[in-house]
Amino acid sequence: MLAISDLVLCMSTLPKMLSIFWFNFREIDFSACLTQMYFVHCVSVIESGIFVGMAFDRYVAICDPLRHSIILTNPVVAKAIMAIVLRGCMIILPYPFLARQWPYCRTNIIPQSYCAHIAVVKLACADTCVNSYYGLFVLFCVLGLDAIFIALTYVQILRVIFSLPTKDAQFKAFGTCGSHLFVILAFYIPEYLPPQYYTLPWVALRDFSTKFPVIPIQSLGS
């Protein structure tokens, strides 16, 4: 599921990025920009939900391993995936509609290779507080709550790991969730960093693999 979401996220930006680098074609139709905006942010929220599900899976596997197959049955997993996808689709749905309603009489240049919500809205010559407030709501009340839930889950996981009787058992238990924890940190930390920190190698590597903020300028078509 995570691999599919990463593939969709890459494919929503890769064609335009390649046209910028290969053919220097820097224009994008406004409707296409709004579509790209929706998929980029929608899949980001879906990925956040997937990480929550993965954290809960690791919690059950380590803290209650004998009931793992009873708690996380195939129907439960299928329903959880459906809920995660629907949440991402519905929460981000207002983005393109909020962005479309404004008049755009300023510059039509976006200083990056994909259409981010705030980057597009900043070009509007109107009061876009509604967009800013809703963007903050998504960032802190959706992604932020996901991050808090994951953090609390891993606190419980680490508490159980460090209570194991032997170092070997602790190492094996930590090995089942270490890679997952690294991926979560690589996903969430750049979400809350200002753009100037994208020059850090590990931040740029994570975002280049998904959103490609390598900042070639592109312009919105009329």
Side-chain angles (χ1 to χ4, degrees):
M1 185 65 185
L2 186 61
I4 294 174
S5 64
D6 278 335
L7 182 62
V8 173
L9 190 58
C10 290
M11 291 306 298
S12 64
T13 56
L14 184 60
K16 186 59 193 175
M17 188 203 72
L18 293 180
S19 70
I20 292 173
F21 280 109
W22 289 356
F23 308 110
N24 200 32
F25 183 73
R26 298 174 180 270
E27 290 190 359
I28 184 171
D29 182 75
F30 188 58
S31 297
C33 181
L34 294 179
T35 303
Q36 185 186 74
M37 175 201 304
Y38 175 78
F39 278 103
V40 167
H41 291 289
C42 174
V43 176
S44 295
V45 174
I46 290 175
E47 280 195 342
S48 180
I50 292 173
F51 286 133
V52 172
M54 292 171 64
F56 182 72
D57 173 72
R58 293 300 86 198
Y59 171 79
V60 176
I62 293 175
C63 299
D64 198 1
L66 297 180
R67 300 184 59 201
H68 183 272
S69 59
I70 299 175
I71 296 174
L72 296 176
T73 61
N74 289 335
V76 170
V77 173
K79 291 177 183 178
I81 292 174
M82 183 66 68
I84 289 169
V85 173
L86 287 177
R87 186 190 72 154
C89 294
M90 297 304 296
I91 287 176
I92 301 300
L93 189 60
Y95 270 11
F97 294 102
L98 289 173
R100 181 181 287 275
Q101 68 177 333
W102 306 120
Y104 291 87
C105 56
R106 300 176 183 172
T107 177
N108 63 342
I109 296 176
I110 302 173
Q112 55 197 56
S113 58
Y114 70 99
C115 294
H117 175 238
I118 295 300
V120 173
V121 169
K122 283 182 178 179
L123 305 181
C125 50
D127 185 4
T128 58
C129 289
V130 175
N131 298 70
S132 299
Y133 292 148
Y134 191 74
L136 289 174
F137 165 77
V138 173
L139 181 62
F140 291 105
C141 296
V142 179
L143 300 180
L145 288 178
D146 287 353
I148 291 173
F149 180 83
I150 292 172
L152 293 176
T153 301
Y154 267 93
V155 167
Q156 295 298 319
I157 290 175
L158 292 175
R159 183 180 61 82
V160 172
I161 289 177
F162 290 126
S163 66
L164 294 175
T166 64
K167 293 292 184 181
D168 184 59
Q170 293 178 3
F171 181 78
K172 289 181 179 179
F174 188 77
T176 64
C177 59
S179 59
H180 176 224
L181 183 60
F182 176 79
V183 172
I184 289 175
L185 293 176
F187 177 85
Y188 278 103
I189 292 178
E191 293 288 340
Y192 295 94
L193 288 179
Q196 58 265 31
Y197 287 97
Y198 284 177
T199 55
L200 295 174
W202 63 276
V203 177
L205 178 63
R206 177 261 169 187
D207 274 288
F208 185 82
S209 66
T210 54
K211 302 175 188 172
F212 307 102
V214 205
I215 325 248
I217 305 297
Q218 69 172 322
S219 59
L220 294 173
S222 58

